[in-house]
Amino acid sequence: MSIYQIAIDGPAGSGKSTVAKEVANMLDFLYVDTGAMYRAITLKILRDNIDLNDQNKLINEARKCKITFKKKDNNSQIVMLNDENVSNDIRNPYVTATVSHISKIQGIRKSLVKLQQELGAENSVVMEGRDIGSVVFPKAFLKIYLTASIAERAKRRFEEYEASGVECDLDKLKTEIAERDLIDSTRKNSPLTKVHDAIEIETDNLNASQVAEKIINLFREKLENENSI
Ligand code: DC
């Protein structure tokens, strides 16, 4: 049986998670949210009060983290950190504010990339993140780069927070997103970037199902082309 990797990269709030989950469901592939892995490590570091300037300690702390995913239902997944369900805690604003700092560290990226590559070697996957098409699976079967304007991305985050009862401010969200974009795209290790063979989809005027449908069509077209060679 063939194994396929679909890489979905893009900045915060570009709609990656919703779209990737939908594509994975439709194709019955494993969905892997790599941002959740960086968030789980960040949560552990914050809980244990590790000095954020001490790289060695941060890397050691990351080594103590066992991160796994459990499928809850078709539209959601549980993130486990050392056998504890941390799905909600990894979305808290403290984690969000610190995760860009943690995900810059090469020693932490290295171990997570290895884990991600193992998942994609054993299963067909839809994997979303920042460096999936560039570093994790440079030979992925299909690479997608999702974009959206900062205003649209902040609006989406605002609605997500509102729905889960978390208070927030739209202007503050815009600033945070712009700051996170800057850190993620200018960092030395695996910066967020659109690789030459990724297909860019601008999502401002599309809903998640429309984007998912586009990706499924691209996947099927590619499959047909491969089979006709
Ligand atoms: O997608 P997200 O917002 O949950 O990601 C959280 C952070 O993790 C984000 O600031 C960038 C980082 N990240 C990364 O560096 N590489 C990935 N493959 C996924 C996320």
Side-chain angles (χ1 to χ4, degrees):
M1 205 181 74
S2 302
I3 285 187
Y4 298 100
Q5 293 128 5
I6 300 183
I8 304 185
D9 290 301
S14 55
K16 295 186 304 287
S17 301
T18 321
V19 167
K21 264 182 234 164
E22 205 162 320
V23 173
N25 271 336
M26 287 165 88
L27 296 174
D28 201 20
F29 286 7
L30 181 71
Y31 162 63
V32 184
D33 173 1
T34 61
M37 295 173 157
Y38 290 96
R39 284 172 179 272
I41 286 177
T42 305
L43 177 69
K44 174 98 172 93
I45 285 166
L46 288 173
R47 278 181 176 174
D48 292 352
N49 258 320
I50 308 296
D51 177 359
L52 295 180
N53 295 311
D54 189 335
Q55 284 227 0
N56 288 336
K57 275 202 185 138
L58 294 174
I59 294 169
N60 272 336
E61 186 75 0
R63 290 207 182 108
K64 293 183 202 157
C65 297
K66 190 182 114 210
I67 301 164
T68 49
F69 293 102
K70 272 191 190 167
K71 195 167 175 173
K72 194 169 150 201
D73 53 47
N74 272 350
N75 277 316
S76 57
Q77 201 171 47
I78 292 173
V79 185
M80 305 292 291
L81 169 64
N82 300 336
D83 299 323
E84 176 195 346
N85 177 354
V86 292
S87 313
N88 291 331
D89 288 0
I90 60 168
R91 306 283 159 201
N92 85 40
Y94 300 110
V95 171
T96 304
T98 315
V99 63
S100 281
H101 176 74
I102 300 304
S103 58
K104 277 196 295 197
I105 301 167
Q106 184 60 10
I108 293 183
R109 300 201 69 82
K110 222 174 132 190
S111 51
L112 283 187
V113 166
K114 187 167 167 271
L115 180 61
Q116 292 153 10
Q117 287 172 334
E118 283 165 6
L119 285 171
E122 290 158 9
N123 314 273
S124 284
V125 288
V126 179
M127 193 172 286
E128 55 131 324
R130 305 292 191 287
D131 59 340
I132 313 305
S134 57
V135 176
V136 183
F137 295 119
K139 293 191 178 150
F141 182 74
L142 180 64
K143 297 182 190 179
I144 303 292
Y145 189 81
L146 293 188
T147 58
S149 63
I150 290 194
E152 175 64 24
R153 290 190 278 138
K155 188 178 130 245
R156 289 176 189 167
R157 273 287 139 95
F158 183 82
E159 287 166 357
E160 273 168 29
Y161 279 132
E162 257 199 332
S164 55
V166 178
E167 257 186 53
C168 60
D169 175 87
L170 188 61
D171 284 331
K172 204 168 152 224
L173 281 179
K174 278 187 199 164
T175 313
E176 275 174 15
I177 286 182
E179 276 169 11
R180 210 132 71 85
D181 279 1
L182 188 70
I183 301 179
D184 293 346
S185 58
T186 57
R187 69 181 177 215
K188 195 170 106 232
N189 302 316
S190 317
L192 168 68
T193 177
K194 176 187 169 291
V195 284
H196 75 280
D197 51 349
I199 299 166
E200 182 165 339
I201 304 178
E202 212 276 344
T203 70
D204 266 28
N205 298 310
L206 297 171
N207 65 34
S209 299
Q210 290 169 317
V211 180
E213 208 180 298
K214 269 181 187 272
I215 297 174
I216 299 278
N217 288 340
L218 288 165
F219 176 77
R220 296 213 167 111
E221 265 170 37
K222 214 157 173 210
L223 210 56
E224 270 169 31
N225 286 341
E226 296 255 312
N227 289 340
S228 65
I229 291 172

